Structure formats: structure tokens, C-alpha cells
Amino acid sequence: MKQGIKTIQNLYEELERQREVRQDLIADTRSLNVSSTNGVSMLTVATDNDVLSYSIGDVAHRQLADRLNIPYKYYERMRLEYPHLLDQNINGWLMKNPEKRMLRTLDGKLRAFLSDRYRRLDNLELVDHVLPVLAQMKGCEIASCDITETHLYIKVINKTMKTEIVPGDVVQAGFVISNSEIGLGALKVEPLIYRLVCKNGMISKDLAHKKYHTGRQVEDTDNAYELYSDATLAADDKAYFMKVQDIVSAAVDEAKFNLTVDKLRSAMRIETGENPVQTVEMLGDRYVLNKLERASVLRHFIMGNDFSHYGLVNAVTRSSQDIPDYNRATELERLGGTLLDEGVEAVKKRNIILLPKAA
């Protein structure tokens, strides 16, 4: 499992810091203006009393392009080669099609350009609600946690719920809590299988619980203004996070754990072919793995000396530990779960050959 750079205490301190310096605004797009200087795009926001200015982050650039229906490849070309033309495009469309948008800012940067119906499910509130639940769960411990520019992750294992896939190959149950404050995904609680022999984590996306960031529309006004949590939203959020607490409390589910264990045992009997290099290349083409990721998967596939589907799943999840980016590493842990499910489905459709059971 990919290890984050933060302990839970470091994580909490960073979330508290972000709470102090972040700023969320609701703005009519006619009050916005973009200008570029020396390769940096700046957004200014006119309020009743002030003009605020923020650099535009990469995610916000993508969201602007998507909302204004500017093809992102062309958007990036303008951004790199003709920034003044990009400014004209953005400002022109912001004026021509006015609407209310939520602007999420942090440390002087526009990190998200979102709908005014976007529901803020902030990381600090999430952690405040789930940590007491985790503390009461027998045998549970936080194995890894981190906060990136786009996501919060808390990965938990339960040492009391474990079994052997084969003698000596022990796996434990667990789950991953993740959230994006900037519109890049729902709040999720996903089952996790933790393999002790190589400390791999495999995430089962299909068994996940999700809570989406959709809420009521904010009040109508022509002016940009800072957004706070009103009493109604605070009450809604309390009820919402109580549901999240219930989901977390039930996240280590023995039936789901046993179901995944059965899939892992079945995967040991699924062939991947006679050529591991070709197997990994096909995998990389299908799931768009870069050269370094392919090399890492192939290395662990060969070193594991297990060319079954189970060995391939383990090679993918093991390679996540070699990936510097925590977001991408987590995606490879999810890919392991996807591959496992695909292998089992292929068996059901009788499209592959089963190896004999071990004696």
C-alpha cells in the first residue's frame, strides 16, 4: 500500500491550516476577468467592496474549459502559445453566457470553478466525524493517509478480520475513505484488501458507498460574495455526516470480505498467457499505463513468479508503492480490484482457461 507523507496528526494540522486560509465565493461570471502574464493566468473577482485576485490552478483551468465548451487541447495550446487569445476567449464567454458559479480558493489560488449547487463536503468535517468512529472499531488502525491538491485519503485495516488465500499468504480486511473538495469525485468509502506478505492494498470499487456533492442552489444575487455555512446547511451537513459515520461503522463487512477472498482464490486458477511481457503490454494499452508504470508492473510480475491472474493483480497493486504521486498510486490499487472482478466475470462467461486446483 502506498504510504502517505503525513501522519494522521500532520494531516489534521494541515486541514486546520487550510480551514483558516481558504475562501469560497459565489460569483456572477460577469464579475470575473482573466488575464495572463509571464505564463501565469490570474482571475480577478469584483465584489461590492473589493477586487480579489487569484492564480488559476490546473484543475480550475480544466473546469473552465469544460464549462465554456472550449476543447481542452485547444485551450492548452492557447495557454502555452497565445495566452492573450485564451484570455479573450474566457472573458468573452463568461460575459456572453452569464451564470452563478462557485469559486473555491486556497493559498491565493483558484482551485475549483464549480456549479453554485455544488455541496461543500469539506475534509476537516469529514475527519472530525470519522476519527471517533475509527477509534471505537476494534482492531482497526490507519495504515496510510494523505491529502493531495485534489483528494483526501484515509486507508484503514482491521487486524481482527483476516484469512489465508493459501497457507502463508494472509490478507486482512480494510477500507478507504476518500473525498475531493474540488469536484473530482464523490465522498467514497471503498472496501480494501491488505496483503501482508508484500503490504499491497487492493480497492474494490464495485462495492463502494458514495455520497455526491449535490445540494440546493444558493441565493440569487448579482454580486460576488464570500460563502459561509448557514444554519440550514450546517443542519444538513450534520445529518449527512451522521450517515457517513454509519457507513464507516459498517465498512468492514465480513460477507463482502469473504466474497473478495473467494475471487482472489479463483484468480489463482486463471491463466494470463505464456508471455508476461505481452500480458503487461496489453494491460498497459488498455488502462493507459505509462512506461515507468508498465516496467514496475512487469518487474513485480516476474519477481513474484506467479503468472496467474492473481499474480497479475498483485503485481499491479505492488507497483503502486513505486509511484510517487499518491493519487495515481491509489488508482493502481483500484485497478487491482477492477482486474480481479474482470477475471471472475470472464470465468463466468467461460472465455478463459482455468488451471487445476492446487493439491
Side-chain angles (χ1 to χ4, degrees):
M1 182 188 301
K2 179 69 177 180
Q3 291 300 306
I5 60 173
K6 293 179 173 60
T7 65
I8 192 63
Q9 181 177 355
N10 296 147
L11 178 70
Y12 199 85
E13 289 172 352
E14 173 60 15
L15 293 177
E16 287 188 315
R17 185 198 72 81
Q18 291 186 8
R19 166 63 63 81
E20 293 298 318
V21 298
R22 75 181 184 195
Q23 189 178 29
D24 295 330
L25 304 166
I26 293 293
D28 186 300
T29 54
R30 290 168 294 189
S31 69
L32 307 179
N33 184 268
V34 173
S35 60
S36 301
T37 305
N38 297 325
V40 178
S41 299
M42 300 295 296
L43 175 76
T44 56
V45 186
T47 70
D48 284 340
N49 304 314
D50 201 357
V51 175
L52 307 175
S53 183
Y54 307 96
S55 63
I56 303 176
D58 289 338
V59 172
H61 271 299
R62 282 190 173 273
Q63 291 168 337
L64 273 163
D66 181 65
R67 190 61 186 173
L68 301 178
N69 292 316
I70 303 174
Y72 190 66
K73 186 175 181 180
Y74 179 54
Y75 185 103
E76 280 294 277
R77 182 183 177 188
M78 290 189 288
R79 185 179 169 189
L80 294 173
E81 300 178 16
Y82 201 164
H84 180 62
L85 178 61
L86 176 61
D87 297 343
Q88 289 180 320
N89 271 266
I90 294 174
N91 294 329
W93 289 115
L94 289 175
M95 289 293 293
K96 182 174 177 58
N97 299 317
E99 60 176 340
K100 296 290 189 300
R101 299 297 288 177
M102 181 184 295
L103 313 178
R104 304 212 75 179
T105 75
L106 178 68
D107 295 328
K109 178 188 290 187
L110 176 68
R111 55 178 182 154
F113 182 77
L114 300 165
S115 164
D116 62 348
R117 295 183 67 90
Y118 184 80
R119 183 171 190 168
R120 297 175 298 162
L121 301 174
D122 288 342
N123 293 328
L124 184 59
E125 283 85 351
L126 175 61
V127 172
D128 278 338
H129 282 83
V130 301
L131 285 186
V133 176
L134 297 180
Q136 295 175 9
M137 296 176 69
K138 184 178 179 181
C140 282
E141 67 175 39
I142 296 174
S144 177
C145 63
D146 209 340
I147 182 169
T148 69
E149 287 192 8
T150 59
H151 287 82
L152 165 78
Y153 300 95
I154 301 176
K155 300 179 181 179
V156 180
I157 57 174
N158 186 327
K159 294 186 174 181
T160 65
M161 191 177 295
K162 59 184 179 181
T163 192
E164 290 181 316
I165 304 299
V166 294
D169 190 352
V170 179
V171 294
Q172 295 174 333
F175 56 93
V176 180
I177 303 168
S178 61
N179 185 48
S180 173
E181 293 185 332
I182 58 174
L184 297 185
L187 191 164
K188 301 176 186 176
V189 181
E190 302 167 283
L192 170 76
I193 294 290
Y194 184 68
R195 188 175 182 228
L196 269 64
V197 67
C198 52
K199 298 182 179 179
N200 288 354
M202 186 195 75
I203 300 172
S204 300
K205 294 193 298 182
D206 289 346
L207 299 175
H209 291 276
K210 300 179 182 179
K211 291 287 188 179
Y212 293 96
H213 294 253
T214 303
R216 62 185 176 87
Q217 196 167 27
V218 296
E219 63 184 273
D220 191 26
T221 178
D222 291 333
N223 302 317
Y225 64 96
E226 189 165 0
L227 190 63
Y228 302 96
S229 291
D230 61 27
T232 302
L233 282 175
D236 287 347
D237 287 348
K238 182 178 180 180
Y240 189 97
F241 280 114
M242 286 178 68
K243 293 179 182 178
V244 173
Q245 287 179 319
D246 291 340
I247 292 171
V248 171
S249 296
V252 182
D253 182 278
E254 187 171 3
K256 291 180 180 178
F257 176 62
N258 290 333
L259 176 64
T260 305
V261 167
D262 288 342
K263 290 181 180 179
L264 289 169
R265 288 172 177 155
S266 296
M268 300 182 77
R269 301 177 59 213
I270 302 174
E271 291 184 337
T272 60
E274 298 180 355
N275 188 333
V277 175
Q278 185 180 48
T279 297
V280 173
E281 282 303 305
M282 292 175 61
L283 175 73
D285 290 343
R286 183 174 183 181
Y287 292 103
V288 197
L289 304 183
N290 63 36
K291 290 182 179 180
L292 292 178
E293 292 167 349
R294 295 179 193 216
S296 178
V297 172
L298 180 60
R299 180 172 66 254
H300 293 300
F301 196 28
I302 293 174
M303 290 177 62
N305 197 31
D306 177 1
F307 302 119
S308 69
H309 196 70
Y310 180 69
L312 182 60
V313 168
N314 286 325
V316 170
T317 55
R318 173 60 184 85
S319 68
S320 72
Q321 299 180 44
D322 302 333
I323 306 301
D325 181 75
Y326 198 96
N327 291 316
R328 183 58 178 165
T330 302
E331 284 304 309
L332 289 184
E333 293 169 355
R334 291 192 177 109
L335 176 57
T338 298
L339 290 176
L340 178 63
D341 288 337
E342 287 184 349
V344 173
E345 285 302 313
V347 169
K348 291 180 181 178
K349 295 177 181 178
R350 300 181 180 179
N351 291 332
I352 56 174
I353 299 172
L354 282 178
L355 298 169
K357 289 185 177 179

